[in-house]
Amino acid sequence: MSRYCFVTDKRTIVGNKVSHSNRKTKRKFFPNLHKKRFWISSENRYIRLLVSSKGIKCIDKIGIKIIFNNIKKS
């Protein structure tokens, strides 16, 4: 399973680790992801999503129904 948020579409990005001597080596920055279960009352079931912390806040603000419908379409 690739590391990306279903809601905000945050993905792993690549950058440089910079040492004290200013030497640069490649590294990865991973999003802050969580496996979370959400109850969908219209379908009377749970869904499990891999979402970032910001995605969880968006779901709390907007609602799982709207986001779940957008996920189903794509």
Side-chain angles (χ1 to χ4, degrees):
M1 176 184 286
S2 59
R3 296 183 186 183
Y4 77 98
C5 176
F6 286 107
V7 178
T8 60
D9 201 39
K10 288 187 177 193
R11 296 175 183 271
T12 303
I13 59 173
V14 178
N16 287 319
K17 182 179 6 175
V18 182
S19 68
H20 180 68
S21 64
N22 208 22
R23 186 178 243 175
K24 294 165 183 77
T25 55
K26 287 291 187 184
R27 62 158 290 185
K28 291 182 180 180
F29 294 93
F30 297 109
N32 187 14
L33 296 178
H34 307 278
K35 286 182 182 174
K36 186 104 170 100
R37 234 171 44 145
F38 295 100
W39 175 252
I40 299 195
S41 56
S42 61
E43 297 197 7
N44 202 22
R45 69 182 182 104
Y46 283 101
I47 60 166
R48 180 168 285 152
L49 294 177
L50 192 64
V51 291
S52 63
S53 296
K54 187 168 184 168
I56 293 172
K57 291 175 188 175
C58 289
I59 289 172
D60 289 342
K61 187 175 182 180
I62 298 170
I64 188 66
K65 284 184 185 178
I66 297 167
I67 292 174
F68 180 67
N69 290 336
N70 289 341
I71 291 171
K72 282 175 74 174
K73 288 178 186 176
S74 56

